[in-house]
Amino acid sequence: MNDRPAAPLPVETLRRKARALNLYGLLAHWPDAGSSPWVQELIQWEEDERSHRSLERRLRAARIGRFKPLCDFDWSWPVKCDRAAIEELMSLDFIGENANAVLRGPNGIGKTMIAQNIAHQAVIQGHTAIFTSAGQLFSELAAIDSAIALKYRLSRYARPALLVIDEVGYLSYSNRAADLFFELVSRRYQSKSTIITTNKPFAEWNDVFPNAACVVSLVDRLVHNAEVIDLNGDSYRNKEAQERAEMRARKRKRTKS
C-alpha cells in the first residue's frame, strides 16, 4: 500500500472543494486557515466520509439482498450461457446507453444472482438502483388506491438509473398490474435502464398477464435497445442441494464407523 501523503493541492482548489462540501466554518476563517497543511487532509476526510455514507445509503435503497459473487459462479454448469454478454453487462456500459437487459431461462440457473451482481456493481460505481421481485412490485402498486400515492410510488421506481425486476413469469397478474407495469416501463423508456429476469419466452407473457391489452406494447418497449440473454440447463440450486445431501450422508457414515 502506498502511504505517501497526497501531493499538495493549490489553495484555490482546496477552497472550491470546501465550498462544494459546505464547510462554512472553515470558509469563514479561510484567510487564516486556508494555507495550513492540515486543511487538505481535513477536506479529504470529509470527502471520503461523505462518499462512504452515500454508498451506504444507495446500497440500502437498492434492497439487493444477499447474493453469491459472480466470481463464484460455475460458468460450466449451464448448458447455454453467454458469459461474454453477461460480463459486458457488468461493465455497466448499457446504463450509459439507457439500454435494457432481459435474462431468460429456467428456475435455478442463476438469473437472479447475475442480476444482483449487476445491480451491486452499479451502486458501487455511483449509480442509483432498486432491486425488486415482480410479485412484490405489482402487489405494492396494485394495492394503492390514492392517485397521489400511486403517482409518488411510480416515480420512486421510475427514478433510479437501474431498476431490476426479478421473477417475471412465476405468477400471473391482473390487468391493473399489467397496466401499471406498462406505465412504469413507459416512464423509463429510453431514459433509464431496466433488467428483467424471467422464466418464460415473450410469446407466453399473455399467460403472465391474462387478457391484458398492453402486453405486446410492453414487450416491444422492453426489448427495444435491449440485450436478451438466454440461459439454459438444470437447476444449480438443486445441484447444490444434492451435493449438501451427499456430504451429510458421508459425514453420517464416517460417524457410524
Side-chain angles (χ1 to χ4, degrees):
M1 181 181 295
N2 188 354
D3 294 326
R4 290 182 300 175
L9 294 174
V11 173
E12 188 54 38
T13 299
L14 293 174
R15 187 174 184 176
R16 286 198 300 269
K17 285 176 172 285
R19 189 179 297 114
L21 292 167
N22 298 324
L23 299 178
Y24 298 119
L26 178 60
L27 289 167
H29 296 277
W30 194 259
D32 300 321
S35 59
S36 300
W38 52 265
V39 168
Q40 180 167 331
E41 190 172 23
L42 171 68
I43 290 175
Q44 187 62 57
W45 287 343
E46 189 68 25
E47 287 181 334
D48 291 346
E49 181 62 22
R50 294 192 186 193
S51 177
H52 176 69
R53 290 187 180 188
S54 173
L55 175 59
E56 288 186 330
R57 285 195 301 270
R58 285 183 282 110
L59 282 171
R60 285 195 300 270
R63 301 183 303 185
I64 299 170
R66 297 180 61 185
F67 60 94
K68 178 190 295 186
L70 196 59
C71 61
D72 293 338
F73 183 60
D74 185 356
W75 295 100
S76 65
W77 178 254
V79 175
K80 181 179 183 181
C81 178
D82 191 338
R83 179 173 182 174
I86 293 169
E87 290 179 340
E88 186 174 330
L89 290 178
M90 284 291 292
S91 75
L92 307 179
D93 288 345
F94 75 103
I95 294 180
E97 299 167 358
N98 299 320
N100 298 331
V102 178
L103 304 176
R104 189 167 58 186
N107 299 352
I109 200 66
K111 304 184 301 298
T112 297
M113 182 272 290
I114 292 169
Q116 287 174 309
N117 272 272
I118 296 170
H120 185 262
Q121 180 70 5
V123 174
I124 294 295
Q125 294 301 321
H127 299 286
T128 53
I130 291 180
F131 186 99
T132 182
S133 69
Q136 178 181 342
L137 174 65
F138 301 149
S139 296
E140 179 182 339
L141 294 178
I144 299 174
D145 295 326
S146 165
I148 295 177
L150 180 59
K151 181 180 179 180
Y152 171 80
R153 189 61 63 175
L154 281 170
S155 296
R156 180 176 181 275
Y157 284 109
R159 191 179 305 120
L162 177 63
L163 174 65
V164 180
I165 305 176
D166 192 34
E167 299 180 337
V168 176
Y170 292 82
L171 301 171
S172 59
Y173 302 97
S174 66
N175 288 355
R176 173 170 168 78
D179 291 340
L180 292 170
F181 188 20
F182 177 73
E183 173 67 20
L184 179 58
V185 169
S186 297
R187 291 190 182 199
R188 298 181 58 82
Y189 181 57
Q190 294 187 316
S191 64
K192 302 291 175 60
S193 294
T194 303
I195 292 179
I196 301 290
T197 75
T198 180
N199 64 333
K200 290 185 179 296
F202 295 124
E204 297 180 13
W205 274 34
N206 283 316
D207 298 333
V208 183
F209 305 102
N211 305 315
C214 64
V215 173
V216 173
S217 297
L218 169 63
V219 171
D220 182 66
R221 295 196 177 194
L222 273 176
V223 301
H224 180 232
N225 194 29
E227 180 84 32
V228 180
I229 301 175
D230 287 311
L231 297 91
N232 206 353
D234 296 329
S235 170
Y236 194 80
R237 286 194 293 266
N238 288 346
K239 170 181 177 288
E240 288 184 324
Q242 183 177 352
E243 289 173 348
R244 286 193 297 270
E246 292 172 353
M247 187 181 302
R248 288 193 294 268
R250 288 194 298 269
K251 185 178 180 180
R252 286 192 295 267
K253 186 176 180 180
R254 288 195 301 267
T255 302
K256 289 180 180 179
S257 60

